[in-house]
Amino acid sequence: MIQAFGLTSNPRQELPPAVDDVSFEAPTGRVTALLGARASGKTTAVRLMLELQQGRGITHFRGRPLHRIPHPSQEVGVLLGEVQGHPSRTVRGQLRMLCAAAGVPVQRADEVLEVVGIVSLREQRLGTLSRGMDRRLGLACALLADPHTLVLDGPADGLSAREGKWLHGILRAHASLGGTVLFTTDDAKEAARTADRVVTLEEGHVIADQCVADFSRTRLRPRVAVRSPHAARLGVLLAKEARATQRSVEVVNEGGNRLSVYGSNCADIGETAFRHSILVHQLADEVGDAGPAVSVPARTRAEEVRAAEPTVPQPAVADASSATDAPLPVLEPSEETAAPSALARAHARSAQEPPQSTGTFVSLPVDADLGGASSSASSSASAPAPPSDEQGTQASRTPSGPASAPPPASLSPLPPPITTHPAPSPLRPLRYEVRRATGIATGYLTAAAVLVASAIVAVLLARTGRTPQAHLLAAWPQELPLPPAALGAGLLGAFAFGDEFRHPALAADRGTVPRRLGLLCAKLAVAAAIAVSLAFLVVASDAVLLHLVYGEELTKLPADWLSTSASWLALVVGCAWAGVLAAGVFRSTTAGLAAVLAVPILVVPLVQKALEGPSVRTAAGLPSRLRDLALVHWPFGAERVLAAGLRMIAQPVGSALMLSLTALLCAYLLTVLRPRAR
């Protein structure tokens, strides 16, 4: 159950808050719709519920606020807008990465792909998905950790009638299995067809909280949809007869050959058309538009006719396809794509059973076959016209009654529930970070560019003959502040946070990438491993190329190779860490790379100026004094290692890098601890 208490957003300058004292409940085993026009506060209310926006109020999910749930993604499945992920990441790679973030088995990604019916698109890039496929992937992300509660913001926006029907079927199946579903919509008909309870928002306030039967009776106006080639003439005649008989009838010309008549019925309109010899192609009772209290954006009438549903309560989720519907580019999920397990088949059987819902639609008196949003009757002054493509779904319906029940649903079952969740471990963020770093081609392209640039610079430096061998192998000319390898490592480190904040990969958990120390340690470890690998590759490729071009003279091992190698690795790893920390603090890849460049350009001159001038006391002999103070003698050679480390730190670049890393780490810790203190 979802319980929202007093949700209120912060005021926006002189404007009133977008949401003011919103309270409602979404019961377990039911589908609840949050209905309202655009800018009515639906999305703001959802973000306040998920603690993604600052404000007042609190929301309980099964009796606990979200910040007190250890793993929110395993309790609440969220779909907010489009899928948040890097455009070049594959569908399967995105789900496998979220599996590592949520702590669920990686096989779960394949299960939810089968359920949402996009197994054939598992190798597609996120940037190439259509609107409908993106929504299916978003639903797969929400179902990944088998959550009890689903919170979806406009899940059917931009979808076709078939895709919207399929999506609503999945939501109904989840609720019938004991889950809680809350979704937002601005379409009153969609709320009446899908939800068991409708909470209506207007200008940030709750104006109605009703079961679907009361909502359909009090906030939807029945109407008669008329389609005729002489619609304008028929509308004038209907209005004239209404004035003559003093009846309250409203005739709305929907454009073209369509009319919407409020306050009348099919029999009266059909008799009027027959008396005046007017050809009628469609005559249907429909659940009409919302009343004046809910301003729903109007859609085209063709979309309304295609999206229309019967006003008869459905015992199960409607089938996602019909014989007269046009085929979609991809197959709808069917029993062939169901998860191959006995438990999944049990879910399928339970999904086909009628949900225990008290909400029913208001039946209108009809005397013809069902069609559109309820029943339709076709009549004309001459021979009846054959149904058009838009009437295909209407002609395929059967009359409602005790003798004719809707066919059973054939939707795919929900993925089998996860009975045991693995305990938190340090490897969870590490596995996630490895999948994040290796799932897109950006890192590989950056490494390839660094190798090519280093090889070209090394060949050009060797041709001049004035560069030391250590700088030659590292491709580091004196004119550049940093070698290409260090710049590449810093850029890859900046991608670890900067790219992730632009495309949040942990959207299934809290909507954004959290600043957690465990995640930071994982990112630092992966960035260090990548930097070390890049440093070795650069030196090896430069040495091989120099050997091929100039011979063995430039590739001999120097005498101080140990200290030089340590300095080289420390420089590359330090630049990578600076990029990670700066991007995590400023949430920008550009800021991470700028922090790397600031070390040799800004910090090194400051360190050199601070170290200038004679020093009265020096640190000479520090290793020997430390050995005298130690209770246990150091192993052989430890003094030289310590002395080499001190010499590295004493250099201007080393001191500047240590100073920058310390400042960035303190800033990062401040951003982590400040929200917790609040």
Side-chain angles (χ1 to χ4, degrees):
M1 171 179 282
I2 302 176
Q3 297 171 306
F5 304 101
L7 299 178
T8 305
S9 61
N10 293 332
R12 302 160 293 174
Q13 297 180 356
E14 298 180 355
L15 300 177
V19 172
D20 189 7
D21 195 19
V22 170
S23 301
F24 63 90
E25 289 186 359
T28 302
R30 300 289 186 267
V31 178
T32 304
L34 198 59
L35 173 67
R38 299 187 188 278
S40 61
K42 304 185 303 295
T43 301
T44 303
V46 169
R47 294 183 64 85
L48 288 172
M49 292 170 56
L50 299 175
E51 301 179 5
L52 300 178
Q53 181 173 330
Q54 292 187 355
R56 297 187 298 275
I58 192 170
T59 303
H60 286 172
F61 297 90
R62 290 206 289 182
R64 292 181 298 174
L66 197 64
H67 62 270
R68 293 191 178 275
I69 300 176
H71 302 293
S73 62
Q74 297 177 1
E75 176 66 29
V76 183
V78 180
L79 174 59
L80 301 176
E82 297 180 354
V83 175
Q84 301 296 318
H86 196 282
S88 63
R89 198 181 302 277
T90 63
V91 170
R92 190 181 185 191
Q94 175 80 3
L95 290 176
R96 291 169 72 92
M97 182 181 61
L98 293 179
C99 285
V104 300
V106 71
Q107 295 81 6
R108 185 71 172 179
D110 298 325
E111 293 177 0
V112 294
L113 280 177
E114 292 179 356
V115 169
V116 300
I118 55 175
V119 179
S120 59
L121 303 180
R122 58 181 177 271
E123 300 302 329
Q124 289 287 330
R125 307 291 178 181
L126 297 186
T128 62
L129 296 179
S130 64
R131 178 71 171 178
M133 298 304 104
D134 184 85
R135 286 294 177 178
R136 288 175 183 250
L137 178 58
L139 186 60
C141 295
L143 293 173
L144 198 61
D146 187 29
H148 174 270
T149 303
L150 291 180
V151 178
L152 315 174
D153 185 22
D157 292 347
L159 298 185
S160 65
R162 276 184 79 185
E163 290 175 332
K165 187 187 302 183
W166 173 86
L167 177 64
H168 297 151
I170 289 290
L171 302 186
R172 173 63 61 189
H174 185 81
S176 66
L177 296 177
T180 303
V181 178
L182 173 69
F183 73 97
T184 67
T185 181
D186 55 10
D187 190 350
K189 294 181 183 179
E190 178 186 357
R193 288 193 305 265
T194 309
D196 300 315
R197 192 163 195 85
V198 181
V199 180
T200 307
L201 291 182
E202 183 178 354
E203 296 182 355
H205 298 274
V206 176
I207 61 173
D209 188 351
Q210 305 165 296
C211 66
V212 70
D214 295 337
F215 173 77
S216 300
R217 184 177 64 253
T218 61
R219 304 196 61 79
L220 291 183
R221 296 186 300 167
R223 71 180 176 191
V224 179
V226 183
R227 193 162 66 97
S228 170
H230 309 288
R233 181 185 169 203
L234 180 59
V236 172
L237 293 174
L238 291 175
K240 183 184 297 185
E241 289 189 0
R243 288 194 299 268
T245 57
Q246 296 183 352
R247 290 186 303 155
S248 176
V249 176
E250 180 183 359
V251 181
V252 179
N253 192 341
E254 302 291 349
N257 59 351
R258 297 180 182 277
L259 294 176
S260 292
V261 183
Y262 299 91
S264 184
N265 53 60
C266 290
D268 294 342
I269 297 174
E271 290 177 1
T272 302
F274 180 78
R275 285 197 306 268
H276 295 85
S277 301
I278 296 178
L279 179 66
V280 175
H281 289 166
Q282 181 189 14
L283 197 58
D285 284 323
E286 292 186 352
V287 174
D289 300 325
V294 181
S295 56
V296 181
R299 300 186 298 172
T300 63
R301 189 56 49 189
E303 291 178 351
E304 290 183 350
V305 172
R306 295 191 192 100
E309 286 291 330
T311 55
V312 183
Q314 299 293 330
V317 180
D319 190 6
S321 62
S322 63
T324 56
D325 286 333
L328 291 178
V330 296
L331 293 177
E332 296 290 336
S334 60
E335 296 177 354
E336 297 176 358
T337 59
S341 65
L343 188 55
R345 290 191 293 271
H347 281 297
R349 289 192 298 270
S350 59
Q352 294 176 2
E353 295 176 356
Q356 300 298 326
S357 172
T358 59
T360 57
F361 295 115
V362 178
S363 300
L364 298 175
V366 297
D367 51 2
D369 292 344
L370 287 175
S374 61
S375 64
S376 65
S378 298
S379 63
S380 62
S382 58
S388 62
D389 293 339
E390 294 177 354
Q391 293 175 286
T393 55
Q394 299 173 4
S396 63
R397 303 285 183 177
T398 57
S400 62
S404 60
S410 59
L411 289 171
S412 289
L414 294 177
I418 302 174
T419 55
T420 58
H421 296 291
S425 67
L427 293 180
R428 263 186 57 187
L430 189 60
R431 287 195 299 265
Y432 159 75
E433 179 61 21
V434 169
R435 289 198 174 99
R436 185 208 62 80
T438 58
I440 56 177
T442 305
Y444 302 106
L445 295 178
T446 303
V450 168
L451 292 176
V452 173
S454 299
I456 295 175
V457 171
V459 171
L460 295 178
L461 290 178
R463 188 172 184 179
T464 61
R466 296 190 303 269
T467 306
Q469 186 180 12
H471 282 248
L472 186 62
L473 292 176
W476 189 359
Q478 300 294 337
E479 294 79 9
L480 293 180
L482 287 174
L487 291 175
L491 182 60
L492 291 176
F495 282 148
F497 264 126
D499 179 76
E500 201 169 54
F501 279 120
R502 289 190 292 113
H503 308 284
L506 293 183
D509 203 338
R510 290 291 291 277
T512 58
V513 180
R515 289 190 175 110
R516 294 201 301 258
L517 296 182
L519 188 62
L520 174 65
C521 294
K523 290 183 178 296
L524 292 178
V526 173
I530 293 175
V532 170
S533 303
L534 186 61
F536 274 116
L537 287 175
V538 165
V539 172
S541 61
D542 291 348
V544 171
L545 186 60
L546 292 175
H547 178 76
L548 293 176
V549 177
Y550 299 104
E552 299 180 357
E553 307 153 353
L554 301 178
T555 58
K556 292 182 179 179
L557 196 65
D560 56 344
W561 66 271
L562 184 59
S563 59
T564 304
S565 301
S567 301
W568 169 242
L569 295 179
L571 173 66
V572 177
V573 172
C575 289
W577 284 358
V580 171
L581 292 172
V585 171
F586 300 106
R587 295 177 178 253
S588 171
T589 304
T590 306
L593 187 59
V596 175
L597 291 174
V599 172
I601 296 176
L602 298 178
V603 186
V604 168
L606 296 177
V607 172
Q608 287 178 340
K609 185 174 290 187
L611 296 178
E612 284 179 355
S615 178
V616 178
R617 301 186 182 276
T618 65
L622 179 60
S624 60
R625 291 195 294 272
L626 289 176
R627 183 187 57 187
D628 296 337
L629 292 176
L631 299 178
V632 180
H633 290 288
W634 292 1
F636 176 75
E639 291 183 5
R640 289 183 295 175
V641 175
L642 180 60
L646 292 176
R647 283 197 301 270
M648 289 170 52
I649 297 176
Q651 293 177 0
V653 177
S655 301
L657 199 55
M658 289 291 296
L659 182 62
S660 299
L661 290 177
T662 303
L664 290 173
L665 183 60
C666 292
Y668 188 91
L669 293 177
L670 180 62
T671 59
V672 171
L673 298 177
R674 186 173 62 180
R676 295 183 182 179
R678 287 180 179 177

